[in-house]
Amino acid sequence: MTTREALARVRRREGVAVIELIGDLNAAAEQALDEAWTAATSERPEAVVLSFENSGYINSTGIALVVGLLASARTHRIPIRAYGLSDHYREIFEITRLADFMAIEDDEESAVQGAVQGTGGDGNG
């Protein structure tokens, strides 16, 4: 299996920080994800949206990194939403119950609008 270098870019939309995950989500992605989380939360966003549209393979370490983000978000009362998961990874997020702690949307617009409107799925309730 070929791995792709992991990158994470942060942009802002309507008071929401969007972290765009690019490449494989594994141990090599930890630093990029940590830096993106720090940048995304530095301005106290209403929510953080994780974009999986350009991510590749997600292994168990990658899942653990997402769990770490969820724990940090819960501690700081920042809702997390996600979009762009393949059917396979969406199912994994549901089986592992990660989906209980973040709303999973079909597209960025739905994720951002849901965050702005404060509709459920943030695991902070």
Side-chain angles (χ1 to χ4, degrees):
M1 173 186 308
T2 304
T3 59
R4 298 186 301 161
E5 179 182 358
L7 301 171
R9 295 187 187 125
V10 178
R11 52 194 164 76
R12 300 193 187 280
R13 281 192 58 191
E14 303 174 45
V16 174
V18 177
I19 299 176
E20 182 181 354
L21 304 167
I22 303 164
D24 295 338
L25 196 54
N26 54 29
E30 184 172 11
Q31 182 177 351
L33 196 53
D34 285 347
E35 289 171 2
W37 179 257
T38 298
T41 58
S42 67
E43 296 180 22
R44 304 277 312 154
E46 292 178 41
V48 171
V49 170
L50 301 176
S51 168
F52 289 91
E53 276 189 323
N54 296 307
S55 66
Y57 177 72
I58 305 172
N59 67 12
S60 59
T61 302
I63 296 288
L65 293 174
V66 173
V67 170
L69 292 184
L70 289 168
S72 181
R74 187 172 182 91
T75 298
H76 294 92
R77 299 189 181 277
I78 300 170
I80 292 189
R81 301 178 88 79
Y83 76 95
L85 285 164
S86 68
D87 290 341
H88 171 73
Y89 287 119
R90 181 175 254 194
E91 183 177 3
I92 288 173
F93 276 42
E94 289 170 0
I95 289 169
T96 59
R97 302 200 58 201
L98 287 174
D100 291 355
F101 300 96
M102 71 175 122
I104 299 175
E105 304 288 353
D106 291 329
D107 56 48
E108 182 174 333
E109 192 62 31
S110 299
V112 170
Q113 289 308 312
V116 170
Q117 295 168 4
T119 56
D122 63 16
N124 293 330

